[in-house]
Amino acid sequence: MGIDFTARKGVRTLFRHPFLLQEKGPDTFSSPHRPEAKEGLSLINGTQVSTAILAEALLRARHLATIADIAGAMTVEATKSSLRPFDARIQSIRPHPGQVACAANLRRLLAASPIMQSHADCAKVQDAYSIRCMPQVHGTLRDALGQVTRVVECEMNSATDNPLVFADTSEIISGGNFHAQPIALAADLLAAAVADLSSISERRVENLVNPDLSGLPGFLTPHPGLNSGMMLVQVLAAALVSENKAASFPASVDSIPTSANREDHVSMSTTAARKCRTVVVNATRVLAAELLCAAQGLEFHKPLRPSKAVEAAYNHIREQVRPLGRDRTLHRDLEAVERLIRTGSLLAHVESLIGALQ
């Protein structure tokens, strides 16, 4: 599943690792565990399934938060947008932690860029919201990640079986720890936050392919007319974002009574977690679309070069995907960039040059 845990002071804690999303083969897993007395019931009577699915989605979403900063920085370079909205002073007077972290990442990613320096005195007044508001939007996802992480870590270290056995007093007590409302609400929150991340990314794709907004050739093709360039990449991103919007309706507000009305309020946490995982997968593909388009946009600025960090991301993409000249089928290009995201290699390549991003 790509989930890593580390033990710390007796507590199992989720942590970020650049290669935590590496896909693993079927031979990775050992022989199935044979449940002992009461273990089978505890697995199906608690929150284990929904917690596990949400934990995977959470780790992938945490990774995407940093990938979105890299993709956004590349788009800033390709559209010749401004670095000024990421000034530390702006963040300091609205100091949401995620906003501050995202802006710091963007400043590091865009430092000492020849492309940025080339338009320092341009006539453009302000960039589109999807570009200049990245700290505020990406940062909100980061803050949501913090809340969801707290819920998941608490749940992983909790007893959610029923009834519960208290060996110190030899008591068996029926209760409600199996109810997964904390997980359901956390999954719905994360789904909404990641869906919004995909939405702002798709708007940056529009800024890249629309010549009225970017100043670049229409649909990023060097041969307009019979060539549609990256047009359908933006269409794909828009379709995925629309699917994410539909999947973001909260499952946690639903409940259908069962068991002769004894189980009269349920959390729908597994549905919420599964929807959340779908949103994260779609968002990964939207960010792949932005990276593909932003890399193509940089082709039109040569011989000017972007910042070292953005150039590192660009070069890593170009190891897998060649620039677009005449039209070709692009699904393999998108899949290649998605793999660079999912395996962690794109982030690792950038961080090997500038150090760990927040």
Side-chain angles (χ1 to χ4, degrees):
M1 298 285 283
I3 303 175
D4 290 62
F5 301 101
T6 183
R8 185 176 64 192
K9 296 182 180 179
V11 176
R12 307 189 86 187
T13 307
L14 287 162
F15 75 107
R16 171 178 171 266
H17 186 283
F19 297 105
L20 59 84
L21 304 179
Q22 183 69 47
E23 300 298 330
K24 299 177 180 179
D27 58 349
T28 302
F29 305 100
S30 59
S31 59
H33 173 72
R34 293 185 178 278
E36 300 294 336
K38 209 171 184 292
E39 288 182 347
L41 179 61
S42 68
L43 288 173
I44 64 173
N45 198 41
T47 66
Q48 286 75 15
V49 172
S50 51
T51 301
I53 297 171
L54 178 56
E56 180 193 10
L58 173 59
L59 284 173
R60 293 185 182 276
R62 190 181 297 178
H63 186 69
L64 290 186
T66 310
I67 292 296
D69 294 346
I70 295 172
M74 190 178 287
T75 296
V76 168
E77 296 266 37
T79 57
K80 288 190 172 181
S81 297
S82 176
L83 180 63
R84 291 183 64 82
F86 317 136
D87 190 300
R89 293 169 293 181
I90 295 177
Q91 325 314 321
S92 68
I93 56 176
R94 196 196 191 195
H96 292 291
Q99 177 177 332
V100 172
C102 173
N105 281 349
L106 290 168
R107 292 194 301 272
R108 289 178 60 199
L109 288 163
L110 294 166
S113 163
I115 290 179
M116 300 288 288
Q117 294 165 7
S118 74
H119 63 93
D121 299 315
C122 69
K124 187 189 291 187
V125 178
Q126 292 188 110
D127 300 312
Y129 284 7
S130 59
I131 294 174
R132 61 182 154 113
C133 297
M134 280 191 284
Q136 290 76 16
V137 178
H138 294 192
T140 300
L141 168 63
R142 290 174 177 274
D143 292 338
L145 288 168
Q147 170 62 18
V148 176
T149 299
R150 287 188 290 274
V151 172
V152 171
E153 288 184 350
C154 179
E155 198 71 11
M156 288 192 305
N157 291 283
S158 299
T160 59
D161 191 11
N162 184 61
L164 290 165
V165 178
F166 293 87
D168 55 341
T169 60
S170 300
E171 290 182 274
I172 299 176
I173 305 177
S174 294
N177 275 6
F178 56 83
H179 202 292
Q181 196 68 12
I183 290 294
L185 279 169
D188 284 338
L189 170 62
L190 184 58
V194 176
D196 193 53
L197 184 76
S198 69
S199 178
I200 195 171
S201 177
E202 183 277 329
R203 288 294 80 199
R204 291 196 295 267
V205 173
E206 169 65 14
N207 272 268
L208 285 160
V209 302
N210 188 332
D212 295 333
L213 301 175
S214 68
L216 297 167
F219 303 115
L220 301 173
T221 176
H223 305 290
L226 294 178
N227 290 275
S228 59
M230 295 287 179
M231 179 180 69
L232 287 179
V233 175
Q234 188 268 327
V235 171
L236 170 66
L240 290 170
V241 169
S242 289
E243 183 174 311
N244 277 356
K245 292 174 183 176
S248 294
F249 183 85
S252 57
V253 301
D254 189 22
S255 180
I256 297 179
T258 59
S259 298
N261 214 41
R262 184 60 56 193
E263 298 173 0
D264 60 344
H265 182 279
V266 295
S267 68
M268 307 301 291
S269 64
T270 305
T271 300
R274 289 174 59 241
K275 289 199 302 96
C276 181
R277 182 170 57 183
T278 296
V279 169
V280 169
V281 170
N282 287 346
T284 305
R285 292 168 179 163
V286 174
L287 286 168
E290 181 181 1
L291 286 163
L292 185 66
C293 290
Q296 178 70 9
L298 291 175
E299 302 295 335
F300 299 101
H301 296 315
K302 292 179 176 178
L304 282 174
R305 299 169 65 179
S307 69
K308 290 183 178 179
V310 169
E311 188 172 45
Y314 165 85
N315 288 337
H316 196 52
I317 291 169
R318 285 289 171 255
E319 290 173 5
Q320 302 294 324
V321 178
R322 70 183 190 276
L324 181 65
R326 302 289 180 182
D327 277 359
R328 64 174 183 263
T329 302
L330 292 172
H331 72 275
R332 292 184 181 86
D333 296 354
L334 287 162
E335 289 170 354
V337 178
E338 183 184 357
R339 281 194 299 273
L340 297 180
I341 297 172
R342 288 173 61 88
T343 61
S345 67
L346 180 63
L347 177 58
H349 203 74
V350 172
E351 290 188 328
S352 68
L353 183 68
I354 64 171
L357 293 166
Q358 299 186 47

